[in-house]
Amino acid sequence: MDIQLKRGLLDICVLAAIKNEDSYGYQIVREIGQFIRISESTLYPILRRLEAANCLTVYSVEHNGRLRKYYRITAMGRARLDAFTEEWKEIMTIYQYVTKETTTHEES
Amino acid sequence: MKKAEFLAVLYEKTVFLPQYEREKLIEYYTEMIDEAMEEGYSEEDAVARLGTWDEIMEQVSANRTKTTPPAPEIIPPTEAGIGQKKTRRKNNLPVWAVLLLILTSPIWASIMFGILIVLFVLVIVGVALLITLFAVVASLAIVGVVSIPASLIVLFTGNSISFAVILGAALVCIGLAILCEILFSFCAGLFGTLIRVLFSGFGRIFH
């Protein structure tokens, strides 16, 4: 996959992982790892980037005698997710057009 | 590699980062190793699954140029905070300037009013001049046109000298009317552009 595209998708996946409820780093990796290749190391710059862009906020919760950082989506993060879904609606129509074109071509 | 050793090396390898970023990074990797160990990984495995040093360092400096580190914001990154920033930028006149503008309004408002009146008078004068010119041209044309049949009547009465004089005068009148008409349209064009320039200038002042 294109690096730039993957970078953008990772941002979106992380936001989607905390969309419904706050989550922590390890859990985020486990969840979105099912769909896209990600490691704890790659997650770090994404979280920092999203935090800097005010897409999420961070708070600490005590867990087993240590601190666990939780990430919460902001209104701006939600707006980013909405923008993504809108944009991909367009891309999906293009995808359908492209794939349709090839099948009719093969048939004839 | 043990957790403590890994974190020490990581700390050493990130001297190029600001202290604030460095501490965050250590906190993050500490948490990740702890989580993996809680999941049942051995300490060595928990460290090993983080990847090679090359991979880790690549990610550490991934958006180094983009995130300016210590942004301890006074305004919480909520919607309200962002909204405030935007609205504040809109009104860039300081309070004293606004006050001064209001206090001196009797002066500048009356000056503005005066200028407006002068412009209005100028427009009226211009229109009056145009009407006068038009009247002159029209009268010349009418006199010229009417004088030609009049001269013919004079000719039939037998006064050929009077006929010549009246016909000559009529032709001169028609010629003058045509000349004035040309001048008139020229002046009207000039006046029109003048008005347009004046009004667009005013529009720019008030917008």
Side-chain angles (χ1 to χ4, degrees):
Chain A
M1 202 188 287
D2 174 68
I3 292 168
Q4 277 305 110
L5 180 63
K6 195 184 170 185
R7 214 171 119 109
L9 283 176
L10 278 170
D11 286 13
I12 292 300
C13 284
V14 170
L15 287 175
I18 58 171
K19 181 179 70 175
N20 294 323
E21 57 180 335
D22 302 352
S23 188
Y24 54 96
Y26 197 81
Q27 175 61 32
I28 294 171
V29 171
R30 192 158 41 189
E31 188 172 325
I32 67 179
Q34 306 167 43
F35 311 105
I36 193 162
R37 218 179 118 90
I38 190 169
S39 71
E40 282 84 353
S41 293
T42 43
L43 179 66
Y44 181 74
I46 298 164
L47 289 171
R48 296 292 294 126
R49 193 158 66 221
L50 290 172
E51 192 191 347
N54 290 334
C55 287
L56 54 80
T57 52
V58 191
Y59 62 95
S60 295
V61 170
E62 203 182 314
H63 168 83
N64 280 356
R66 61 183 177 84
L67 286 179
R68 183 186 253 173
K69 277 187 178 163
Y70 274 83
Y71 303 91
R72 173 180 290 159
I73 194 165
T74 64
M76 200 177 269
R78 287 190 195 281
R80 181 108 163 244
L81 277 179
D82 289 344
F84 170 83
T85 43
E86 280 308 306
E87 193 182 10
W88 275 78
K89 272 180 202 159
E90 262 173 60
I91 292 174
M92 283 316 287
T93 48
I94 296 167
Y95 169 83
Q96 275 159 8
Y97 168 71
V98 170
T99 47
K100 188 180 139 199
E101 198 75 335
T102 40
T103 48
T104 47
H105 204 77
E106 280 163 8
E107 278 162 13
S108 60
Chain B
M1 197 186 274
K2 294 272 184 185
K3 177 183 158 189
E5 194 193 337
F6 171 83
L7 294 174
V9 175
L10 183 65
Y11 193 76
E12 283 309 306
K13 279 180 177 280
T14 51
V15 275
F16 58 89
L17 283 179
Q19 193 56 29
Y20 171 84
E21 281 290 334
R22 232 170 148 190
E23 279 161 18
K24 278 208 147 200
L25 192 70
I26 296 296
E27 278 172 23
Y28 179 83
Y29 275 99
T30 309
E31 189 188 315
M32 287 308 140
I33 295 167
D34 289 343
E35 296 280 0
M37 283 165 71
E38 248 172 57
E39 285 289 304
Y41 285 95
S42 70
E43 196 174 334
E44 275 86 356
D45 287 345
V47 172
R49 62 189 290 284
L50 294 172
T52 65
W53 277 113
D54 282 346
E55 284 161 7
I56 291 167
M57 292 315 292
E58 192 194 322
Q59 296 304 325
V60 165
S61 40
N63 43 10
R64 212 168 104 63
T65 46
K66 277 174 189 167
T67 45
T68 40
E73 287 195 51
I74 305 151
I75 307 161
T78 57
E79 267 186 314
I82 296 144
Q84 265 176 5
K85 268 185 208 163
K86 273 180 188 164
T87 45
R88 206 176 296 156
R89 200 178 298 157
K90 206 180 171 184
N91 194 353
N92 45 16
L93 270 182
V95 184
W96 62 265
V98 176
L99 260 173
L100 205 67
L101 217 62
I102 294 164
L103 287 175
T104 56
S105 65
I107 301 165
W108 60 258
S110 53
I111 291 170
M112 283 290 190
F113 192 64
I115 292 171
L116 267 178
I117 289 198
V118 169
L119 278 171
F120 183 68
V121 168
L122 275 176
V123 169
I124 298 266
V125 169
V127 170
L129 269 173
L130 282 177
I131 289 170
T132 317
L133 234 126
F134 184 75
V136 169
V137 172
S139 57
L140 277 173
I142 290 164
V143 167
V145 170
V146 173
S147 294
I148 293 169
S151 68
L152 285 174
I153 295 164
V154 173
L155 179 68
F156 286 124
T157 60
N159 195 339
S160 59
I161 295 164
S162 295
F163 159 72
V165 169
I166 292 169
L167 186 65
L171 288 175
V172 166
C173 280
I174 290 172
L176 273 174
I178 291 167
L179 194 69
C180 284
E181 164 56 29
I182 293 164
L183 270 172
F184 177 79
S185 56
F186 178 70
C187 286
L190 265 185
F191 191 72
T193 38
L194 184 76
I195 293 284
R196 226 173 295 133
V197 167
L198 273 176
F199 271 84
S200 68
F202 251 80
R204 229 167 285 150
I205 290 167
F206 287 113
H207 280 290

